[in-house]
Amino acid sequence: MKNGNNEKNSIKDYVKKDEIVYPDDPHQHLFSAKQKKRKRTIDENYKYKPGFFTALTGAVLRPIAMIALPLAAAVTNGYTVKGRKNLKGIKGAVFVANHVHVMDCPLICSSVSFPRKTWFVTLEEVVDIPVAGFIVKSLGAVPIAGTLKGMRKFNEYLKELLVKGKRICLFPETALWPYYEKIRPFKKGAFKMASDCDVPVVPVVYTFKTTKRGRKKFVLHICPPMKNDGLAPEVFAERVRQVFIKTADEFYGRNDSDFNLKQNEQTGNK
């Protein structure tokens, strides 16, 4: 396979190969879909709060997605969820997960948060896709702004949701690395937002079990919620990340789920 730094036409170029070559940069995307010229840039004029028709569409489609997606994943990928009891009593919260599959966000927003709605962050170009862009927004997509003023409005909207007791889903690893089993470094944004709004962070850890036929089966672990006790956002982020590493290590039965170990192995250091 070509080096992971090269541009790819589709994520299918990765998930259909026997071996995936991951970049050295933990936040680098593995693929770059060819797209037409952007219709717009999400800025301070973008209306994050959905209008009546968008909200109505979401109200109709969301129950269908919440039932259909987990069932489809269970049939095709043996999808299972552990630790649902840890969601008891949780209202406003930031769900954070390792970004390892094209369906990881939809599955969190459907099976894990059922029957409540969960808002999720997405790339700004996603809402530009005809029809699909409207659908994902109606289901709770919040596009990342492309300007400084737009980012302020983006952050204000997410904080407003959290203060109102809503749930949002973020991926602190930022880039999607299909079927990656190690836990990459976390960006601090999600943890600062949770701390500012005084809401818990709920770690959601994706792991994979390979069957004898080589099939990848999802196992999703919902860990106990964590609240910041006065730590700096980056320190809190690392504390949560260690929970991810511990969960992955226990599942895989080894002690190498830290991304930094991968770097050490490449340099010959143990």
Side-chain angles (χ1 to χ4, degrees):
M1 177 180 285
K2 296 180 181 179
N3 186 284
N5 293 319
N6 293 338
E7 183 176 293
K8 299 295 178 182
N9 291 330
S10 168
I11 200 167
K12 293 179 180 179
D13 293 335
Y14 288 89
V15 299
K16 288 187 176 181
K17 301 293 184 180
D18 292 332
E19 182 181 357
I20 301 175
V21 178
Y22 301 101
D24 291 330
D25 180 353
H27 304 298
Q28 180 179 318
H29 291 274
L30 288 182
F31 74 106
S32 178
K34 293 181 178 180
Q35 298 179 1
K36 296 180 180 179
K37 186 178 180 180
R38 290 292 317 284
K39 293 181 181 179
R40 59 179 170 174
T41 297
I42 304 298
D43 57 19
E44 69 274 15
N45 298 313
Y46 181 78
K47 295 181 179 180
Y48 279 103
K49 186 175 181 179
F52 173 77
F53 187 64
T54 304
L56 179 62
T57 303
V60 173
L61 294 180
R62 196 176 308 112
I64 299 174
M66 283 184 166
I67 296 173
L69 289 177
L71 283 177
V75 172
T76 59
N77 292 94
Y79 174 66
T80 57
V81 179
K82 296 183 177 182
R84 289 186 186 277
K85 62 181 181 180
N86 291 319
L87 294 177
K88 186 176 181 180
I90 295 295
K91 294 182 179 180
V94 175
F95 286 74
V96 292
N98 47 328
H99 207 2
V100 291
H101 197 274
V102 292
M103 289 297 292
D104 50 19
C105 183
L107 286 173
I108 290 173
C109 294
S110 54
S111 62
V112 173
S113 195
F114 182 87
R116 298 186 59 188
K117 178 179 179 179
T118 295
W119 282 257
F120 56 96
V121 172
T122 187
L123 298 175
E124 58 178 334
E125 56 262 30
V126 171
V127 295
D128 270 350
I129 302 173
V131 183
F134 170 75
I135 292 175
V136 295
K137 182 177 180 180
S138 71
L139 292 174
V142 182
I144 301 172
T147 67
L148 181 59
K149 290 184 178 179
M151 280 302 297
R152 290 174 183 166
K153 188 173 182 180
F154 165 82
N155 285 311
E156 288 173 359
Y157 179 67
L158 291 179
K159 288 182 178 180
E160 179 184 340
L161 291 173
L162 291 173
V163 170
K164 289 181 178 178
K166 308 299 183 182
R167 297 173 172 182
I168 63 174
C169 177
L170 296 167
F171 295 88
E173 293 176 329
T174 66
L176 168 60
W177 284 17
Y179 302 108
Y180 192 65
E181 295 182 358
K182 296 180 186 292
I183 306 300
R184 290 169 280 155
F186 286 175
K187 297 283 189 177
K188 67 179 181 180
F191 307 93
K192 183 179 187 307
M193 188 171 296
S195 301
D196 289 346
C197 297
D198 194 30
V199 298
V201 165
V202 180
V204 180
V205 188
Y206 275 100
T207 57
F208 302 98
K209 183 177 182 180
T210 304
T211 66
K212 294 180 179 180
R213 296 183 179 181
R215 178 186 174 195
K216 295 281 188 178
K217 298 180 67 174
F218 294 106
V219 181
L220 183 60
H221 310 261
I222 305 172
C223 301
M226 302 175 65
K227 251 194 170 183
N228 193 354
D229 54 3
L231 299 173
E234 58 271 21
V235 178
F236 182 42
E238 183 58 27
R239 176 175 288 184
V240 176
R241 181 173 173 266
Q242 291 303 316
V243 172
F244 276 72
I245 293 171
K246 182 175 183 293
T247 302
D249 278 344
E250 290 177 352
F251 177 83
Y252 293 118
R254 54 183 190 246
N255 297 310
D256 65 349
S257 296
D258 189 339
F259 174 84
N260 293 327
L261 293 179
K262 172 179 181 290
Q263 304 300 85
N264 292 336
E265 290 167 2
Q266 290 181 340
T267 59
N269 297 322
K270 300 296 183 180

